Amino acid sequence: MTTTTPRPSSWVEGATGSGFDVDHLPYGVFARSGERPRVAVRIGDQVLDLSVVAAADMVDTHALFDQPTLNPFMAAGPEVWASTRAWITGLLTGEAERDLVEPALAHVDSVTMRLPFTVGDYVDFYASEHHASNVGRMFRPDQEPLLPNWKNLPVGYHGRSGTVVVSGTDVVRPCGQRKAPTQDRPTYGPSQRLDIEAELGFVVGVPSAMGERVGTADFARHTFGVVGLNDWSARDIQAWEYVPLGPFLGKSFATSVSAWVTPLAALDAAWTDLPGQENPEVLDYLKVDGPAGLDIAVEVVLDGEVVARPPYRTMYWSPAQMLAHTTVNGASVRTGDLWGSGTVSGPEPGERGSLLELSWGGQEPFTAGGRERTFLEDGDEVTLRYTAPGTGGGRISLGEVTGRILPAT
Ligand SMILES: O=C(O)/C=C/C(=O)CC(=O)CC(=O)O
Ligand SMILES: [Ca+2]
Ligand SMILES: [Mg+2]
């Protein structure tokens, strides 16, 4: 892990120790009634309207912030990301432009946060060895838990970008076909095994051309940042439909992402070694140089209680390998492409990132809010929280993802 020099704190009240000081500075899109949505950065519990301060400060990229999505800023590339971060840090730590900044601050609770970027393609991976082994044991009890390809390539599937929603959006219980092994015929109806998947999402900033491969070393040139991600999953629909082409309607009804996108630069102190890929050794295009994993701590909150603490650093496949694999056939990526890490599960029972695993297929209920629980009930609210070491010596809080289950329609 990199050693860090403490950075100055912001003069914004409450920023110090909030997880949202100047060592973090995540971006989002906010709106107030009657106003057009614009790009903001978060400091403490305040949103700073970047469109206003950039125009007043005559920043030459100011037009990137007077936008309803982060896409134009994300496409602008690493030099603009770095100069913007340095400019914002100066505004929020120095006194010189405080008169300009203060009127552009608003409490997060006084604005509505929008989906921060227009999602291009959404791809979801399966990068946790512990999750993949647990699911394998439950879905395919008569086979080896990990299929032969699993340690040779990061397994993934294409999801549905049009149903990616921002944190706080309610999720209607999906209906679909399901067939329990004990039934002769499938039935149709509301999912009875509705679940969460605690994941991280990675967002592409700089596109690549068709025919070009993005190597693992080029990860930071293309990747803008990280969001919290809940890949809601209907296990009964999934278990019946997934053979042989993979998840389809069991996961396409909603995927929630955090309103705040943490730029990669805020994770400089979080890089850590992968758990190890020696047996088998991976092909050359998947090799990584140096620490490629991320030390991000996840919390799953159900019914107001933390029910799991999945550690992202235990993931087998790194984000750089997922991007390299996505483009190794010459497929291009676009600004706004989103890829999910796959469910984050650690080796311990209390580190599992899905209710499927926490309740072992519904057979071993766990407790939350003083009650026995298996899958999601109508009215349940689930929040995923994420923290990582910051470059200032403390921890940063990545954007949380929350969603409530509404009854099937
Ligand atoms: O092994 C299976 O059939 C199960 C696959 C998944 O649940 C896919 C998925 O969303 C992967 C993940 O989030 O890790
Ligand atoms: Ca998933
Ligand atoms: Mg999904």
Side-chain angles (χ1 to χ4, degrees):
M1 204 179 298
T2 19
T3 45
T4 54
T5 25
R7 301 207 332 167
S9 201
S10 174
W11 47 258
V12 171
E13 212 183 300
T16 311
S18 66
F20 295 97
D21 204 342
V22 283
D23 59 345
H24 189 185
L25 301 177
Y27 298 99
V29 170
F30 78 103
R32 261 186 298 234
S33 68
E35 292 177 17
R36 63 186 187 283
R38 295 187 295 269
V39 171
V41 71
R42 177 151 172 187
I43 182 76
D45 58 8
Q46 306 283 311
V47 298
L48 173 62
D49 183 338
L50 287 182
S51 73
V52 168
V53 282
D57 215 13
M58 290 184 291
V59 172
D60 56 5
T61 53
H62 67 88
L64 298 176
F65 308 115
D66 197 353
Q67 299 282 344
T69 70
L70 289 175
N71 294 54
F73 176 50
M74 298 196 305
E79 286 80 39
V80 173
W81 306 339
S83 61
T84 303
R85 189 168 169 82
W87 166 66
I88 297 169
T89 303
L91 289 180
L92 292 171
T93 53
E95 292 292 326
E97 283 157 309
R98 193 162 164 167
D99 288 354
L100 182 141
V101 173
E102 260 170 343
L105 291 169
H107 196 277
V108 276
D109 294 342
S110 71
V111 300
T112 308
M113 297 308 297
R114 299 284 190 98
L115 185 66
F117 52 93
T118 302
V119 183
D121 289 303
Y122 166 47
V123 177
D124 192 26
F125 284 92
Y126 197 30
S128 159
E129 180 174 1
H130 308 288
H131 172 71
S133 305
N134 288 337
V135 175
R137 280 188 198 104
M138 284 182 265
F139 277 29
R140 296 171 287 275
D142 48 343
Q143 290 177 44
E144 278 296 310
L146 288 185
L147 295 171
N149 58 1
W150 198 90
K151 286 196 168 179
N152 288 284
L153 54 85
V155 169
Y157 68 96
H158 278 95
R160 193 169 192 85
S161 52
T163 54
V164 176
V165 296
V166 70
S167 174
T169 308
D170 291 337
V171 172
V172 176
R173 180 179 296 274
C175 291
Q177 257 201 48
R178 60 271 151 102
K179 190 187 91 60
T182 50
Q183 293 174 317
D184 292 335
R185 298 275 310 143
T187 57
Y188 172 84
S191 171
Q192 286 155 11
R193 290 162 76 88
L194 185 56
D195 199 356
I196 57 145
E197 288 192 326
E199 305 194 16
L200 281 175
F202 295 84
V203 189
V204 172
V206 176
S208 66
M210 274 179 82
E212 179 193 342
R213 297 187 192 105
V214 179
T216 55
D218 290 328
F219 172 76
R221 282 209 301 118
H222 289 272
T223 308
F224 176 75
V226 181
V227 288
L229 188 148
N230 185 348
D231 180 25
W232 304 97
S233 298
R235 300 300 180 187
D236 39 4
I237 299 172
Q238 178 190 349
W240 168 233
E241 75 178 356
Y242 86 99
V243 186
L245 292 185
F248 188 42
L249 303 182
K251 287 167 181 281
S252 66
F253 57 94
T255 305
S256 300
V257 293
S258 59
W260 297 103
V261 185
T262 295
L264 273 195
L267 292 170
D268 276 353
W271 293 103
T272 185
D273 287 327
L274 294 174
Q277 302 179 329
E278 291 80 34
N279 185 27
E281 201 185 324
V282 295
L283 293 178
D284 281 347
Y285 81 90
L286 288 169
K287 294 213 167 103
V288 290
D289 225 0
L294 283 166
D295 182 16
I296 298 176
V298 188
E299 283 183 344
V300 179
V301 184
L302 170 65
D303 232 351
E305 192 176 320
V306 176
V307 294
R309 292 191 161 84
Y312 189 79
R313 69 182 144 70
T314 62
M315 298 296 269
Y316 192 87
W317 293 105
S318 70
Q321 291 172 316
M322 298 184 233
L323 182 57
H325 187 63
T326 302
T327 58
V328 75
N329 62 348
S332 51
V333 290
R334 293 182 292 179
T335 303
D337 279 5
L338 169 67
W339 76 98
S341 59
T343 309
V344 185
S345 288
E348 302 301 325
E351 297 178 337
R352 295 170 177 165
S354 68
L355 306 186
L356 176 75
E357 293 166 272
L358 287 169
S359 70
W360 206 258
Q363 292 164 31
E364 296 169 16
F366 60 96
T367 50
R371 287 192 305 124
E372 292 219 318
R373 302 301 311 265
T374 56
F375 293 98
L376 291 171
E377 298 169 9
D378 292 344
D380 274 345
E381 189 169 73
V382 178
T383 301
L384 306 179
R385 296 195 210 122
Y386 306 80
T387 63
T391 55
R395 290 186 82 76
I396 61 169
S397 306
L398 283 72
E400 63 176 36
V401 195
T402 186
R404 194 163 47 106
I405 304 302
L406 298 186
T409 46

